[in-house]
Amino acid sequence: DVYKRQAYSPKKYAIESALEMAKNQYYVFMDADCTIPPKCLETFNKYFQSKYQAVVSIPKIRSTSSLLYRYLLPERLATWGICASAIGFSKPFLAFGGLWGYTRQAYDTVGGMSDISHILSGDDDLLIYMMGQNQLPVVCCLNPEGWGETRMPQSVKTFITQRRRHHSAGKFYGRKIQLGYLGYHISNLLLWILPLLEPSLVILLIVKFIADFVLLFRLKGIFRETINVTNLISFEIGFLIQHVFIAPLSFLGKIHWK
């Protein structure tokens, strides 16, 4: 047992230990700081009764006046949109450990945590990815009664640690998703670099801004959020910093939980 504790990621060990003792067929997981509306579990149960094997919900962020929140709100909108789109195309690879659930059948089908026990992150992303690989029916909850609310990172340092942990799971995805992410981030970086080499190419960067703004305004309606120009500017600058500097750091050195 001591060896198992040392070999396992602490969170995965806790989840697996709990599921070994669980007797029911449906499981819902949420972070300690997440709060849910009265009909949240009822909403999850409706999805399970509709034969979905996993339900990916969203833990919304409690509003603050901080600069970090101005970036995180549109960044979360974009991530929720990517998550819902991937699930819609039956290619899930994102989930949010703050609030989601799955069946015993889904957990057993992918072999539980056995293949990812040594990875610090990924008890949500990698599990949902493996469920997709096994062609299990997965749904993204777009019903507000099934959404939760969580607090945002308490500091920039905490935010960077969280993002490094989340990004680090990417090296365990399949090659297609890895190449997709690589192409996405390289193309975004090039859109910032090319105008420095050829000023006329700034038009490409402008087109990117317009496309991002249109997408985010569409997503804010789906996920019932309010964003403004400050959010959009913070998103473009923060996104560049996160994916040029923070994301690469996720693949270097040892990742810690906190």
Side-chain angles (χ1 to χ4, degrees):
D1 187 61
V2 172
Y3 173 79
K4 191 174 183 181
R5 288 177 183 273
Q6 293 173 344
Y8 268 50
S9 157
K11 183 178 180 181
K12 291 186 182 68
Y13 180 81
I15 292 174
E16 188 171 72
S17 297
L19 293 184
E20 286 177 355
M21 295 183 287
K23 298 179 180 179
N24 296 318
Q25 295 300 309
Y26 306 139
Y27 309 122
V28 176
F29 302 86
M30 49 189 292
D31 284 347
D33 65 343
C34 184
T35 57
I36 57 175
K39 294 187 177 181
C40 184
L41 296 182
E42 180 181 333
T43 301
F44 269 70
N45 189 54
K46 288 179 180 178
Y47 283 119
F48 289 136
Q49 294 302 318
S50 298
K51 306 305 180 183
Y52 287 108
Q53 294 293 314
V55 182
V56 178
S57 187
I58 59 169
K60 303 184 84 174
I61 312 168
R62 297 186 187 111
S63 176
T64 74
S65 60
S66 70
L67 182 61
L68 182 58
Y69 176 78
R70 294 177 191 174
Y71 165 69
L72 276 177
L73 176 55
E75 189 258 0
R76 290 289 83 191
L77 279 174
T79 304
W80 297 337
I82 292 170
C83 171
S85 297
I87 290 174
F89 284 104
S90 300
K91 301 292 184 183
F93 66 93
L94 279 177
F96 308 103
L99 182 60
W100 79 305
Y102 46 80
T103 67
R104 184 78 203 193
Q105 179 182 342
Y107 182 77
D108 290 342
T109 298
V110 301
M113 303 284 185
S114 58
D115 290 338
I116 59 174
S117 62
H118 60 290
I119 305 169
L120 185 62
S121 185
D123 51 280
D124 41 25
D125 294 339
L126 294 179
L127 269 182
I128 202 70
Y129 172 68
M130 292 190 296
M131 291 174 187
Q133 293 294 295
N134 281 272
Q135 300 183 328
L136 298 176
V138 176
V139 65
C140 180
C141 177
L142 297 180
N143 182 348
E145 291 185 331
W147 297 344
E149 186 181 62
T150 186
R151 67 168 181 258
M152 59 177 289
Q154 296 178 325
S155 67
V156 173
K157 181 179 179 181
T158 302
F159 165 74
I160 292 175
T161 300
Q162 287 181 352
R163 287 299 181 269
R164 286 190 66 201
R165 189 174 71 244
H166 295 163
H167 285 303
S168 67
K171 54 186 149 181
F172 302 100
Y173 282 135
R175 189 54 56 95
K176 289 184 179 180
I177 292 181
Q178 289 179 335
L179 291 175
Y181 262 129
L182 180 63
Y184 174 69
H185 294 310
I186 288 179
S187 62
N188 270 273
L189 180 59
L190 286 175
L191 288 174
W192 286 89
I193 293 176
L194 289 177
L196 300 177
L197 304 176
E198 175 51 60
S200 64
L201 294 178
V202 72
I203 186 65
L204 298 177
L205 189 59
I206 293 174
V207 170
K208 166 188 156 51
F209 291 159
I210 294 174
D212 287 346
F213 294 169
V214 170
L215 177 61
L216 288 171
F217 271 99
R218 170 65 176 149
L219 290 172
K220 81 178 181 68
I222 294 174
F223 294 107
R224 304 194 183 189
E225 291 286 3
T226 301
I227 59 174
N228 53 39
V229 175
T230 303
N231 292 124
L232 299 174
I233 294 173
S234 300
F235 172 74
E236 294 297 345
I237 297 174
F239 190 83
L240 177 66
I241 294 172
Q242 177 175 333
H243 293 279
V244 171
F245 298 104
I246 298 176
L249 288 174
S250 305
F251 300 92
L252 301 174
K254 185 175 177 60
I255 307 297
H256 298 280
W257 191 260
K258 292 184 178 181

